[in-house]
Amino acid sequence: MVVVALSVIALTSTLSLFRFEETYRALVDQRMKLTAGEVARVLSVGLDLGLPVDSQENIPGLLRQRLAAHPDLASIRVRDCGGRVLFQAGDATNTGLVASSPWPRRHDEQFDISMRVTDATGGCAAELVVSRAAAPFRQAMASLTRRYLTLGAWVAGLTSLAMIVAALVFSRPPPSLRALDADLEVLGRDASEEPVGGANVVPGNAWEADLIEAYRAARPALVAARRAGSD
C-alpha cells in the first residue's frame, strides 16, 4: 500500500508539473503573438495605404518601442517573404525554438514566434518574428521543479508514516481474540477447564460474541483431546 501510494503521488506530481509547463509555455507564446499582432496591424495599415513594407519608415521606431515595452523580449524582426531581414530591433541569434514545437530543447537559447502579414489580395507581404530568451523560462521551471520535489517528499513521507501507523494500529487483534489466544495457551499448558469469559467481547460486535460462544462449545472437546494427549 505504501508503494502504491508513493507511486500515485509521484505520478500526480509529474503530470501536474508537465501540465504547468505546457500552460506556462502557452502563456509565453500568447504574449509574443500579441506583440507580433500589434506590429502586424501597423504593417497592414501601411499596405492598405499602398506603401510596401520596406518603405514604411515608421516600423523601426515601432519595433524599438514594442521591445522597450516588453523587456522580456530579445528581438523583433520584419522579413520579406524570401527571408531577408527588412527591419530589426534587439539582438537575434536566430537559434530559437519554432512555435510549432510545444517543448523547449535544452540547447535553444531563445523562443521564436512567427506571424505572416498578407496584402489586400491575400498574398504574402512580410513575416514577423518575435524572439524571447529561454533562460527566464527555464529558471522559472527549475524553481518550480525544486518546489514540487520538496513538497512531494514531504507528502510522501507523511503519507508513508500515516499508513505505517494505521497498519500497526489496525493490525492488532481485538481484545476478544487476544483473550481466546491467551486461553488457548493456558489450555495447551494445563488443560484447564475454566472457559474464557465473555467480558472481553466488545458490545456491538456480534461476530465476536458468536466466536466466543463457538469456542466455549468446542472447548470441552479441546480439553478432552489435550488430556488424552497428556495421558
Side-chain angles (χ1 to χ4, degrees):
M1 292 178 63
V2 172
V3 172
V4 172
L6 294 181
S7 299
V8 171
I9 293 173
L11 181 60
T12 303
S13 300
T14 303
L15 292 178
S16 298
L17 183 62
F18 285 163
R19 180 59 180 171
F20 178 85
E21 182 176 4
E22 182 180 4
T23 304
Y24 183 28
R25 179 58 204 277
L27 178 61
V28 171
D29 290 347
Q30 189 63 33
R31 290 187 59 187
M32 296 168 66
K33 290 178 180 178
L34 180 62
T35 301
E38 294 173 350
V39 179
R41 282 192 293 271
V42 176
L43 289 173
S44 297
V45 171
L47 290 172
D48 293 339
L49 295 176
L51 297 175
V53 174
D54 54 359
S55 65
Q56 298 186 26
E57 299 180 355
N58 61 324
I59 297 302
L62 175 64
L63 298 184
R64 290 191 295 268
Q65 180 185 4
R66 292 294 88 196
L67 201 62
H70 302 281
D72 56 327
L73 298 181
S75 67
I76 305 175
R77 287 166 286 167
V78 179
R79 304 186 303 194
D80 60 18
C81 295
R84 182 172 62 92
V85 177
L86 301 176
F87 307 105
Q88 176 177 323
D91 181 22
T93 59
N94 203 25
T95 59
L97 180 68
V98 296
S100 60
S101 179
W103 302 109
R105 298 187 294 270
R106 293 190 177 277
H107 65 272
D108 292 318
E109 297 179 0
Q110 66 186 36
F111 304 142
D112 291 345
I113 288 294
S114 61
M115 179 178 293
R116 176 167 294 187
V117 180
T118 59
D119 53 22
T121 62
C124 176
E127 184 181 19
L128 286 169
V129 179
V130 180
S131 301
R132 183 184 190 274
F137 178 86
R138 295 200 178 94
Q139 290 173 0
M141 289 306 306
S143 176
L144 183 67
T145 300
R146 288 192 296 269
R147 293 188 180 186
Y148 261 86
L149 290 176
T150 302
L151 180 61
W154 276 101
V155 173
L158 293 176
T159 301
S160 300
L161 181 61
M163 294 186 69
I164 291 174
V165 171
L168 293 177
V169 170
F170 291 105
S171 64
R172 297 182 60 186
S176 59
L177 297 184
R178 293 200 298 269
L180 291 182
D181 185 67
D183 189 72
L184 284 173
E185 291 183 1
V186 173
L187 180 62
R189 289 194 303 268
D190 56 11
S192 173
E193 295 187 6
E194 181 68 24
V196 65
N200 290 319
V201 178
V202 179
N205 291 344
W207 68 270
E208 293 183 12
D210 294 340
L211 181 61
I212 291 293
E213 294 300 326
Y215 178 74
R216 286 174 177 171
R219 196 175 191 280
L222 294 176
V223 169
R226 177 68 178 84
R227 288 177 176 176
S230 300
D231 295 340

mmCIF file of all heavy atoms in Angstrom, residues 23 59-60 99 128 189:
data_model
loop_
_atom_site.group_PDB
_atom_site.id
_atom_site.type_symbol
_atom_site.label_atom_id
_atom_site.label_comp_id
_atom_site.label_asym_id
_atom_site.label_seq_id
_atom_site.Cartn_x
_atom_site.Cartn_y
_atom_site.Cartn_z
ATOM 1 N N THR A 23 1.129 24.923 -19.852
ATOM 2 C CA THR A 23 0.321 26.132 -19.715
ATOM 3 C C THR A 23 1.191 27.385 -19.699
ATOM 4 O O THR A 23 0.848 28.406 -20.324
ATOM 5 C CB THR A 23 -0.511 26.055 -18.426
ATOM 6 O OG1 THR A 23 -1.302 24.866 -18.437
ATOM 7 C CG2 THR A 23 -1.424 27.255 -18.293
ATOM 8 N N ILE A 59 8.313 51.803 -39.065
ATOM 9 C CA ILE A 59 8.422 50.461 -38.469
ATOM 10 C C ILE A 59 9.619 50.341 -37.526
ATOM 11 O O ILE A 59 9.476 49.769 -36.438
ATOM 12 C CB ILE A 59 8.466 49.398 -39.584
ATOM 13 C CG1 ILE A 59 7.152 49.421 -40.372
ATOM 14 C CG2 ILE A 59 8.697 48.019 -38.985
ATOM 15 C CD1 ILE A 59 5.930 49.180 -39.530
ATOM 16 N N PRO A 60 10.837 50.821 -37.872
ATOM 17 C CA PRO A 60 11.944 50.679 -36.915
ATOM 18 C C PRO A 60 11.641 51.297 -35.552
ATOM 19 O O PRO A 60 11.942 50.696 -34.510
ATOM 20 C CB PRO A 60 13.102 51.396 -37.623
ATOM 21 C CG PRO A 60 12.775 51.284 -39.069
ATOM 22 C CD PRO A 60 11.297 51.396 -39.147
ATOM 23 N N ALA A 99 7.593 27.974 -33.248
ATOM 24 C CA ALA A 99 6.348 27.950 -32.479
ATOM 25 C C ALA A 99 5.612 26.625 -32.600
ATOM 26 O O ALA A 99 4.774 26.302 -31.788
ATOM 27 C CB ALA A 99 5.437 29.084 -32.941
ATOM 28 N N LEU A 128 6.717 38.439 -39.614
ATOM 29 C CA LEU A 128 7.191 38.956 -38.333
ATOM 30 C C LEU A 128 7.746 37.804 -37.494
ATOM 31 O O LEU A 128 7.142 36.732 -37.417
ATOM 32 C CB LEU A 128 6.052 39.629 -37.573
ATOM 33 C CG LEU A 128 5.592 40.995 -38.072
ATOM 34 C CD1 LEU A 128 4.300 41.388 -37.379
ATOM 35 C CD2 LEU A 128 6.662 42.028 -37.817
ATOM 36 N N ARG A 189 -1.065 -25.639 28.200
ATOM 37 C CA ARG A 189 -0.145 -25.920 29.292
ATOM 38 C C ARG A 189 -0.724 -26.894 30.324
ATOM 39 O O ARG A 189 -0.090 -27.868 30.689
ATOM 40 C CB ARG A 189 0.254 -24.614 29.991
ATOM 41 C CG ARG A 189 1.179 -23.740 29.156
ATOM 42 C CD ARG A 189 1.792 -22.655 30.040
ATOM 43 N NE ARG A 189 0.784 -21.830 30.689
ATOM 44 C CZ ARG A 189 0.313 -20.695 30.176
ATOM 45 N NH1 ARG A 189 0.756 -20.280 29.008
ATOM 46 N NH2 ARG A 189 -0.579 -19.996 30.835
#
